[in-house]
Amino acid sequence: MASTDASPEGRAAVVCIGNVLMRDEGLGPLVARTLLETYDFPGTVDVLDAGTMGMSLLPDLQSHGFVVLVDAVDGTGQEPGTVFTYTPDEMAPNAIMHSLHDMRFTDVLAACRLMGIEPEAQCVGAQVLDMDPEDFSIGLTPPLEKAVPLVMATVVKILSDRGFT
């Protein structure tokens, strides 16, 4: 639910991306729903289930000065369910797709920069157990299910550290 406030300064968005039809890829949408059910965010914070995102995310990024991206990731070398934070610049800059979205978040941020939009961004990720593009099933694997509370606590801490209480 994006706010109608036109000024991005002092506004934050928690952008949760993922595909609920592809097992662990559904982390982002589950986190968005659970954050909204669990916390009472100030009017300066929007929690967005961005689905599989893409360029349609540009208006949301344009209207927020700070963005927390939540996504399931693969290829980290960490145990499934491991939660970590990273910057968009720390995302793999190569052509290998690390998620099942139609484009990488770094590509969306690059498009933002071309438009003169530069929100600060912090990412929260959780290592998937399995990211099989052939597995069309709903529901997270047990390691990712157990990681959801830590993902949410990490998002809330990042927002709090930035002054969004």
Side-chain angles (χ1 to χ4, degrees), residues 26-155:
L27 176 70
L30 176 63
V31 168
R33 185 176 68 246
T34 309
L35 281 170
L36 289 169
E37 292 170 354
T38 306
Y39 294 95
D40 184 21
F41 290 97
T44 55
V45 176
D46 295 310
V47 177
L48 309 169
D49 176 352
T52 56
M53 63 174 210
M55 290 301 176
S56 63
L57 194 54
L58 288 174
D60 292 314
L61 296 178
Q62 185 175 20
S63 61
H64 296 87
F66 182 67
V67 175
V68 180
L69 174 78
V70 177
D71 193 12
V73 294
D74 198 7
T76 67
Q78 301 296 315
E79 290 294 317
T82 301
V83 176
F84 49 95
T85 61
Y86 53 99
T87 67
D89 290 338
E90 293 171 323
M91 289 181 183
N94 59 38
I96 298 170
M97 296 302 283
H98 293 279
S99 77
L100 298 173
H101 312 303
D102 54 355
M103 64 181 7
R104 297 174 303 176
F105 187 64
T106 53
D107 298 330
V108 176
L109 285 177
C112 281
R113 282 191 290 278
L114 288 173
M115 297 172 59
I117 304 165
E118 296 206 37
E120 292 183 60
Q122 181 69 43
C123 305
V124 179
Q127 171 61 48
V128 301
L129 175 64
D130 184 25
M131 195 178 288
D132 180 357
E134 306 279 324
D135 183 6
F136 292 101
S137 56
I138 297 173
L140 302 180
T141 59
L144 243 60
E145 186 72 39
K146 289 178 186 173
V148 169
L150 181 55
V151 170
M152 291 178 19
T154 303
V155 168

